[in-house]
Amino acid sequence: MADDSDFVGHLVKFNSLSSGRDKLARLVQYASKFAWWYLQKGHFDPNIIIKLKNVDNALSTTRKVLRLGKSIDFLHSALRSIHISDTVLRLTITLSKINQACYLLFDHIIWAGRIGIAKVDSAKWKDLSARFWLVTIILNLIRDVYGMWTVIIEELRLRNERASKSHYGNGDVNHKYKTRHIPNDTEVVLSCFQESVPLILDFVRNMSDLVLPLAALKRINASAGVQGAVGVVSSVIGIITTWNPDMRLVPS
């Protein structure tokens, strides 16, 4: 009963977060995109395909509504991140927040044009929004790679320090014949990856999301199925990190 109570408590808390609802809607949106692409490729019932496309489009619009005002939140986060001591982290995180704020602001303009409350050049704003989204993801990836690099370098330094010190004190006449395992570089790197789950999750999420703005800008030829698949992967990771704060990359 305690486990059931904890699960329900987590579920209520997750559902109370706007970010949690947005990530659930995003998961269904991209799952729908992949589903209609797959059914269309297999020449299934056109009515089902149309319904799934309607779900995809409806959730896309719904998510734009859920994110209204989020650009202000990201600008506020950017003001906090300028105090991070590490220069690379400070620059990448702050610039990422600013770009994301701009991307969401342009997204609001697209939404206003989509529902008819304003006359806008949708193609122009979609292109501009995708460009800022792309820059945001690139900055996030730089932050992820830098984070991995610093962790690995630190672990290699500690490994070398431990290897240079004897674990056996004076008076142990047999210490020359005792051996101890010193991990090689590959083992250290693998160990770093295993102990840096939030960093790896963030890297996979950003690599998955990278496909989406590149496809929107027509820099790559990605089918609706590919976009749906990578969108599902990044959405699942987003749900995991929202559900379990220990899986969230900090600072970010």
Side-chain angles (χ1 to χ4, degrees), residues 24 26 29 39 82 89 94 96 108 191 193 200-201 209 229 244:
L24 279 175
R26 189 179 193 269
Q29 176 194 346
L39 295 177
I82 60 175
L89 293 180
T94 303
S96 172
H108 301 337
S191 175
F193 287 164
I200 299 301
L201 286 175
D209 279 340
N244 184 1

Side-chain angles (χ1 to χ4, degrees), residues 108-123:
H108 301 337
I109 296 173
I110 296 168
W111 169 77
R114 181 176 292 182
I115 65 172
I117 63 174
K119 188 175 181 180
V120 299
D121 185 347
S122 295

Side-chain angles (χ1 to χ4, degrees), residues 10 13-15 17-21 23 235-248:
H10 272 88
K13 183 178 179 181
F14 178 86
N15 194 51
L17 299 171
S18 60
S19 59
R21 294 192 296 272
K23 287 175 174 60
S235 298
V236 169
I237 293 175
I239 289 172
I240 291 172
T241 55
T242 303
W243 182 275
N244 184 1
D246 291 337
M247 294 291 101
R248 191 178 305 153

Side-chain angles (χ1 to χ4, degrees), residues 150-165 167 180 182-183 188 192 195:
T150 53
V151 169
I152 291 170
I153 291 299
E154 177 63 16
E155 286 300 314
L156 288 173
R157 184 187 68 79
L158 293 174
R159 188 276 312 267
N160 293 336
E161 283 186 1
R162 288 192 295 266
S164 64
K165 295 177 181 178
H167 283 221
R180 55 196 172 98
I182 303 297
V188 171
C192 290
E195 295 173 3

Side-chain angles (χ1 to χ4, degrees), residues 41-162:
K41 190 177 179 183
H43 305 288
F44 284 80
D45 186 351
N47 291 326
I48 298 177
I49 295 170
I50 291 172
K51 289 178 180 177
L52 287 170
K53 285 186 176 181
N54 289 338
V55 171
D56 179 9
N57 293 329
L59 285 173
S60 175
T61 302
T62 300
R63 291 183 57 236
K64 293 182 191 304
V65 177
L66 290 174
R67 295 197 300 258
L68 283 173
K70 285 290 288 182
S71 54
I72 298 174
D73 294 343
F74 281 110
L75 286 175
H76 187 255
S77 297
L79 290 175
R80 291 200 306 268
S81 63
I82 60 175
H83 301 293
I84 297 174
S85 58
D86 187 288
T87 303
V88 176
L89 293 180
R90 181 171 65 251
L91 289 175
T92 53
I93 294 174
T94 303
L95 292 175
S96 172
K97 298 293 184 186
I98 293 172
N99 272 273
Q100 197 161 6
C102 294
Y103 149 65
L104 289 175
L105 178 61
F106 300 147
D107 216 34
H108 301 337
I109 296 173
I110 296 168
W111 169 77
R114 181 176 292 182
I115 65 172
I117 63 174
K119 188 175 181 180
V120 299
D121 185 347
S122 295
K124 182 187 90 171
W125 289 107
K126 283 181 180 178
D127 182 82
L128 195 56
S129 177
R131 290 177 186 276
F132 276 87
W133 186 13
L134 177 60
V135 174
T136 298
I137 295 172
I138 290 173
L139 287 166
N140 290 342
L141 284 170
I142 293 172
R143 184 257 182 274
D144 292 337
V145 172
Y146 173 76
M148 292 181 198
W149 176 255
T150 53
V151 169
I152 291 170
I153 291 299
E154 177 63 16
E155 286 300 314
L156 288 173
R157 184 187 68 79
L158 293 174
R159 188 276 312 267
N160 293 336
E161 283 186 1
R162 288 192 295 266

